[in-house]
Amino acid sequence: MRQTVRQAMTQQTFITAALTPEQPVPDGLITPDGRPASKRFDVYRNNVVVSLKEALEQGFPAVQSLVGPVFFAAMAGEYLRAHPPKHPVIALYGADFAEFIDNFAPARAIPYLADIARLEYALRQSYHAADSQPVTQSALSDPLLFTRAVRLAPAFAWLPSAYPVTAIHRLATGTCRDGKTVQGGAEDVVITRPAYDPIATAFPAGTGAVLDALASGEALGDAAELAPPRLDLTRFLTTLLSGGAIVAINEI
Amino acid sequence: MLDTSPNDPGTTLPHAAGVGFKPQHFSEISTGDHPVKWLEIHAENYMVEGGRPLAQLRALAERFPISVHGVGLSIGGETRLDPDHLARLKHLVTWLNPASFSEHLAWSTHGSDYFNDLLPLPYTEATLSRVCDHIDEVQDVLGRRMLLENPSSYLAFEESTMDEVEFLRAVVKRTGCGLLLDVNNVFVSANNLRLDAYDYIDRYPHEAVGEIHLGGHDEDEDEMGAPLLIDSHGRETADPVWALYAHTLTKGGTKPTLIEWDTDVPDWPVLAAEAGRAAAMLESLFAEVRS
C-alpha cells in the first residue's frame, strides 16, 4: 500500500526535464523494480532532440554542409530548445532558423550563412506550395503584353542577398562541381517551380523591385522600367515563363 | 459517442498486408507486382498546399486503399486539442476519404509547442476521461470512427491505477473508437516493463482491432544491465515479434497488417519481402478457416 497519494506529474515537468539534460528525471517515473527511471527517461530526451535535429538537417542541407555536422548539431540543438515547432507539420519547421542564425554569435564567421538558410527555407516553401497552371509561351505574342498585369504562381518567390548565395548553395549541396570559389556580390534570387522541383536563379540586385511591382498588379511595361541596368529582361522573362511563374495575364 | 455498429472496426482496409509509404518507393509501388495491397501515410506529411508529395498521394489513392496515420494530434495531452491542427486533419480526411484514420495513445504538444515524439501518460481515471474527451472530439469533427494505437513504453508512472489493456478497454467502451494493435509495441513494452506479452494479447479486446502494426526495434540496456528495447522502425521485424503476431492472429483472426519502416528505409524489395511474410501468415490463416 502506498502511504501517500502521489500528485500527478504535469506534462510541463516532463517536457522541461526532457529538454534540459542537466535537470534530474522527474519523480514518479519508475522502472519495473520501482526504482527511479534514469536511462529509460533518456530515451525520450534523445527522441525529442534527435527527431527535431534530423528535421533541421533535412530542411537545411546546405547550411549543414557549410558548417559541418558537429557545428550544425550544436546550433540546431540550441535552436530547437529555444524555438520548438509551433505545429506538427514538420515539413514547414524552421521558418525562423535564418533569423536565429543572424543572432547566433558562433556563426558570425560565415556572414552569408543566414541567407543560405533563408534560401533553403524559401525553396522548401516553394516545394510544398499550391500547384498552378502556368500560361504558355504563346501568351507572349499578345501585342499589348506590356500593358498587361500578371498573376504569379503560389510556388514563385524571390529574396535579396548581399552575397552570391545561389552559387554558394549550389556548391554546398554538390549540385555544381565546376568551381571551388564563388565570386560576385549582392543578388536577388528568383525561385520558380516548373512541375515539382524548385529552381533558384540569380539576377542582379534590384530585380526584386520589378517582381514587387508585378505582384502588386502593375503593368509589365511599368514594372520593367524599375529594372536595374544590368538586368537582361529577355532572360528574366524566359526564366519566369519556363519556370511556370506566370499563371495569368490580365487586362488592367 | 459516434453512432456506429458495435462490430464495425472503423476501417475498410483489406485484411491483407500494407506498408508505410515512402516517396523513394513510388515507382515500384505503382508499377510492380508485389504483395502490398494497401498503404499508410503520416497525416502531417500531407498537410501542405501542393507539390510532389500531394500529387503522389493522389495517384496512389486511385490504386490503393489508404490509411491515414496521425502523429501530431496529442490525444494524451493535458491541454485541449489544437483546433488548427484538427482543421488541417479534417481537410485531409475530407478530400482523401481514406479507408482508415488512426492516432496514438500519447502526447506530443504542450502549450503551443510541438515536440515531434510520442510521449507517455499515466493510466488513471483523470487521464482516461481526458483521452476519451479528445477522441470524442476527433470523431465528431471527422465524422468517422478512429483507431487508437498502443504505445511503446520505456518506463512506468507510479501514479498509474490501471494497466494499459484495462485503459484501452475503457476507452473503447466510452468512445466507440477502434484500436490499432501494434504488436511490436506490445513486445517492446512487455520487455521494458517486465510484463507478459502473451497475457497482454490474450486480454486485449480483439473485436475492436481494425489494424495491426509490425516493425523493428533496437536492443539496448538500462543502467542496471537490463535489456531495454527501443521502438525504432529501422529494421526487419524481430522473430519473437512474428511469433507474437501469429498468436495475435489465432486470438483475433485476420486483420489489415502494416509493416512500419521509417528510419534507414530499405530498398523496395526488402520492404516488400517483409510485407510478403505478413501476407503469407494471413493467407495461411484464411486457408485454415476455409478448410
Side-chain angles (χ1 to χ4, degrees):
Chain A
M1 285 289 285
R2 276 180 225 150
Q3 305 215 319
T4 54
V5 175
R6 179 168 286 285
Q7 283 291 309
M9 180 204 318
T10 65
Q11 291 178 348
Q12 183 66 57
T13 303
F14 189 101
I15 196 63
T16 303
L19 287 172
T20 321
E22 49 285 1
Q23 277 215 359
V25 175
D27 285 344
L29 301 176
I30 53 174
T31 69
D33 303 328
R35 284 178 298 107
S38 55
K39 187 165 175 188
R40 289 152 179 272
F41 187 69
D42 290 346
V43 176
Y44 298 106
R45 282 188 158 140
N46 184 62
N47 284 354
V48 169
V49 171
V50 168
S51 75
L52 292 176
K53 259 186 202 163
E54 283 175 354
L56 292 168
E57 283 170 11
Q58 284 167 18
F60 299 96
V63 172
Q64 191 193 26
S65 160
L66 288 168
V67 300
V70 175
F71 188 100
F72 187 87
M75 184 165 71
E78 287 206 26
Y79 171 73
L80 69 88
R81 286 181 171 87
H83 304 262
K86 294 296 170 192
H87 54 67
V89 185
I90 291 298
L92 299 175
Y93 179 45
D96 55 3
F97 192 44
E99 205 183 323
F100 174 85
I101 294 173
D102 273 331
N103 298 306
F104 188 64
R108 277 194 199 130
I110 309 179
Y112 49 81
L113 193 65
D115 279 1
I116 294 293
R118 247 169 229 115
L119 173 57
E120 293 201 291
Y121 192 76
L123 287 166
R124 187 145 52 101
Q125 277 185 304
S126 172
Y127 182 75
H128 292 296
D131 304 328
S132 53
Q133 190 62 47
V135 298
T136 56
Q137 295 275 349
S138 64
L140 285 186
S141 58
D142 181 347
L144 295 176
L145 183 66
F146 278 75
T147 69
R148 309 291 193 211
V150 300
R151 192 149 53 81
L152 298 168
F156 175 82
W158 77 270
L159 62 158
S161 177
Y163 305 95
V165 284
T166 311
I168 297 170
H169 179 260
R170 274 204 300 271
L171 269 180
T173 51
T175 49
C176 159
R177 300 186 180 282
D178 54 358
K180 287 200 172 64
T181 57
V182 171
Q183 297 191 333
E187 65 184 30
D188 283 354
V189 186
V190 166
I191 295 174
T192 53
R193 195 188 87 190
Y196 297 122
D197 295 303
I199 297 172
T201 311
F203 285 98
T207 303
V210 180
L211 293 164
D212 282 344
L214 290 178
S216 65
E218 288 187 34
L220 264 171
D222 295 342
E225 283 180 21
L226 300 172
R230 289 192 300 121
L231 177 64
D232 176 344
L233 268 176
T234 307
R235 177 174 164 261
F236 176 66
L237 269 179
T238 307
T239 300
L240 297 193
L241 279 166
S242 65
I246 298 176
V247 295
I249 297 179
N250 302 316
E251 286 181 34
I252 294 180
Chain B
M1 186 200 289
L2 218 67
D3 182 24
T4 49
S5 85
N7 293 319
D8 170 11
T11 145
T12 55
L13 291 172
H15 287 218
V19 296
F21 168 63
K22 298 293 166 208
Q24 57 266 48
H25 299 145
F26 179 76
S27 296
E28 285 154 303
I29 287 178
S30 308
T31 57
D33 182 23
H34 53 69
V36 174
K37 303 300 178 209
W38 57 279
L39 300 169
E40 187 157 282
I41 57 149
H42 284 179
E44 285 71 13
N45 291 346
Y46 297 89
M47 293 177 175
V48 290
E49 299 283 318
R52 181 179 284 113
L54 281 184
Q56 288 189 335
L57 177 56
R58 277 194 298 269
L60 292 170
E62 285 177 12
R63 300 204 36 208
F64 295 94
I66 304 287
S67 160
V68 171
H69 190 49
V71 297
L73 258 186
S74 204
I75 281 180
E78 270 167 12
T79 44
R80 62 178 293 216
L81 297 181
D82 174 359
D84 293 341
H85 195 59
L86 206 45
R88 285 190 283 265
L89 183 64
K90 166 84 175 169
H91 175 71
L92 174 65
V93 165
T94 301
W95 75 257
L96 183 61
N97 191 22
S100 179
F101 170 69
S102 51
E103 250 286 357
H104 297 85
L105 178 56
W107 59 282
S108 53
T109 298
H110 189 74
S112 61
D113 297 335
Y114 173 72
F115 299 105
N116 204 30
D117 189 28
L118 299 167
L119 299 167
L121 60 150
Y123 301 137
T124 66
E125 283 301 329
T127 60
L128 174 63
S129 138
R130 212 162 59 210
V131 164
C132 290
D133 286 350
H134 288 167
I135 290 175
D136 284 343
E137 187 181 355
V138 173
Q139 294 189 135
D140 281 347
V141 168
L142 299 185
R144 59 158 71 212
R145 199 174 179 202
M146 63 163 279
L147 307 179
L148 185 68
E149 177 176 349
N150 54 295
S152 277
S153 298
Y154 306 107
L155 46 75
F157 285 80
E158 210 170 5
E159 67 188 272
S160 284
T161 55
M162 60 187 108
D163 75 18
E164 192 166 284
V165 174
E166 289 172 319
F167 191 91
L168 288 169
R169 275 187 179 280
V171 171
V172 168
K173 194 171 168 210
R174 288 198 202 174
T175 67
C177 76
L179 295 174
L180 194 172
L181 173 53
D182 189 314
V183 174
N184 180 58
N185 288 358
V186 172
F187 186 82
V188 165
S189 297
N191 171 84
N192 293 345
L193 303 183
R194 246 172 277 156
L195 304 169
D196 181 341
Y198 283 78
D199 174 63
Y200 184 107
I201 296 293
D202 289 348
R203 294 189 299 118
Y204 204 79
H206 293 275
E207 65 283 359
V209 174
E211 180 182 338
I212 286 176
H213 272 183
L214 296 171
H217 59 254
D218 292 343
E219 294 179 18
D220 199 352
E221 286 182 351
D222 75 4
E223 66 275 22
M224 305 299 285
L228 182 63
L229 301 184
I230 313 285
D231 180 34
S232 63
H233 299 173
R235 59 176 68 208
E236 277 98 346
T237 301
D239 282 339
V241 175
W242 283 111
L244 188 61
Y245 172 60
H247 180 73
T248 304
L249 293 182
T250 62
K251 282 283 165 184
T254 62
K255 302 284 180 183
T257 301
L258 183 93
I259 306 295
E260 283 189 302
W261 201 320
D262 295 321
T263 57
D264 295 327
V265 176
D267 288 343
W268 174 250
V270 177
L271 185 59
E274 283 281 279
R277 191 167 172 182
M281 289 170 72
L282 289 167
E283 282 296 323
S284 72
L285 195 68
F286 274 128
E288 222 171 272
V289 171
R290 275 196 298 267
S291 62

